Amino acid sequence: MGLLAVLTLGAAACGPPPGPGASPGTTAAPATTAAPAPTTVAPEPALAVPEAGLGPGDSGEVVQALERRLDALRYDVGAVDDVFDTDTVQGVTAFQKVNDLPRTGRATPDVAARLTTAQPPAAIVAGGGPSRVEVDLPHQVLFLYQGGNLDKILSISTGSGEDYCSTDGCATAVTPPGSYQVDYNVVGWDSGPLGDLYNPVYFDPKNGLAIHGSEDVPADPGSHGCVRISMAAAEWFPAKAPKGTPVYISDGQTALQPV
């Protein structure tokens, strides 16, 4: 059975259709036809990380330098401080994903070496709009653009590809590639047949697909079809992706048309 046929067996892949809790949001700026050149970051000396790397619970000047470098490259690490916390783990994981490194969430010597010359990644959809969301399914990362510039890179988890059943029927956990727009968002927790979604931003409400906060964002695909982001990122993300914001889901093969 094809994807569309499978999805129609259930009312929603992740969340419910629009309801009383939906927020209409605001209209995004219209798309432009040209994409700006990516911001370049000057090379830096390699960070002096131990062989075992840095991870949760570590602190000090090296951690602060790590976060500062990741932040300059647009990876979301939360507040730039000297504490390796869960936000730092998410930022390091996103960097590892983009650079095809092991997805450990630890700042190991290979991460430190790659950071010396790394640059922000190029856009997926040229002319996709000055403010937009790009989801890279193969690398499991999300790129948020604001005003024509890359603003944040987030580690995500999308559809696992596994079959599942709920009270609304059975389906396959897939995040379909394509060009979408933000339709509405819900403030706080939104309950669906497959669980609760935090501050969801719905881009495919017919199939219940949203970008939402989750307490479980594995390094690899693991959702029922939605795009999971960290709880911390979900606090500020909806304000940066209002109604009408283009959302591009890329599998690296499907041609995506600007919306």
Side-chain angles (χ1 to χ4, degrees), residues 82-105:
D82 62 353
V83 178
F84 202 118
D85 54 18
T86 55
D87 291 335
T88 314
V89 172
Q90 290 293 314
V92 170
T93 302
F95 180 81
Q96 290 170 325
K97 290 178 174 183
V98 169
N99 290 275
D100 296 315
L101 297 172
R103 302 173 179 185
T104 65

Side-chain angles (χ1 to χ4, degrees), residues 59-233:
S59 61
E61 293 182 359
V62 177
V63 173
Q64 187 173 48
L66 167 70
E67 292 187 343
R68 186 166 56 245
R69 180 66 175 177
L70 288 169
D71 181 70
L73 291 167
R74 306 298 186 262
Y75 294 91
D76 182 35
V77 294
V80 176
D81 52 26
D82 62 353
V83 178
F84 202 118
D85 54 18
T86 55
D87 291 335
T88 314
V89 172
Q90 290 293 314
V92 170
T93 302
F95 180 81
Q96 290 170 325
K97 290 178 174 183
V98 169
N99 290 275
D100 296 315
L101 297 172
R103 302 173 179 185
T104 65
R106 294 185 61 83
T108 43
D110 58 346
V111 171
R114 191 68 61 86
L115 278 170
T116 61
T117 58
Q119 297 296 324
I124 294 176
V125 183
S131 296
R132 65 187 185 277
V133 176
E134 296 182 345
V135 172
D136 183 336
L137 293 175
H139 289 96
Q140 291 291 284
V141 288
L142 179 153
F143 304 122
L144 173 67
Y145 283 81
Q146 296 280 282
N149 297 306
L150 180 60
D151 183 54
K152 293 290 183 184
I153 305 174
L154 302 178
S155 179
I156 62 172
S157 182
T158 60
S160 66
E162 298 179 357
D163 295 333
Y164 67 90
C165 293
S166 72
T167 55
D168 285 345
C170 297
T172 301
V174 175
T175 306
S179 301
Y180 305 86
Q181 288 181 295
V182 171
D183 189 76
Y184 73 100
N185 71 285
V186 174
V187 178
W189 290 99
D190 197 21
S191 296
L194 299 172
D196 296 335
L197 292 66
Y198 185 65
N199 281 352
V201 174
Y202 287 92
F203 61 88
D204 184 8
K206 180 180 178 180
N207 291 310
L209 296 178
I211 301 167
H212 68 87
S214 173
E215 296 176 341
D216 181 21
V217 186
D220 297 303
S223 81
H224 290 98
C226 283
V227 179
R228 296 182 191 175
I229 60 178
S230 71
M231 296 291 287

Side-chain angles (χ1 to χ4, degrees), residues 23-64:
S23 171
T26 57
T27 303
T32 59
T33 57
T39 302
T40 57
V41 178
E44 287 190 357
L47 298 171
V49 303
E51 187 64 29
L54 298 169
D58 289 323
S59 61
E61 293 182 359
V62 177
V63 173
Q64 187 173 48

